Amino acid sequence: MTKDADGERSQPFRTLFLQELIRRGVIAPSFVVSYSHTDADIDRTVEAVDGALAVYAKALSDGVEAYLVGRAVKPVFRPYV
């Protein structure tokens, strides 16, 4: 779960985290490791997460708007109105 500087759930911070993973070549709305993943796949994912979290940490202090490209994603499941 992604949270903002106040510890509240945050879709903009979720978007930022996913954005930074994609910039590093990893598409990961969730992390599931299977037998088909090699050690290199896992190492690459760990490196991508490390880089994404470095940007996330900066965004916690500078504001997510400084790093987020585009609009924040919306939850898939939300109340019907």
Side-chain angles (χ1 to χ4, degrees), residues 12-50:
F13 274 93
R14 176 173 171 72
T15 306
L16 177 65
F17 182 65
L18 295 175
Q19 166 191 293
E20 294 304 316
L21 286 178
I22 291 168
R23 279 188 178 179
R24 291 161 176 79
V26 174
I27 297 174
S30 63
F31 294 98
V32 178
V33 178
S34 75
Y35 188 72
S36 65
H37 291 105
T38 65
D39 287 345
D41 294 330
I42 294 169
D43 290 343
R44 181 175 177 193
T45 302
V46 169
E47 288 174 13
V49 169
D50 185 56

Side-chain angles (χ1 to χ4, degrees), residues 3 8 10 26-29 31-33 51 60-61 63-64 66 69 73 77:
K3 296 185 177 183
E8 299 296 322
S10 173
V26 174
I27 297 174
F31 294 98
V32 178
V33 178
L60 284 171
S61 60
V64 71
V69 176
V73 295
F77 301 106

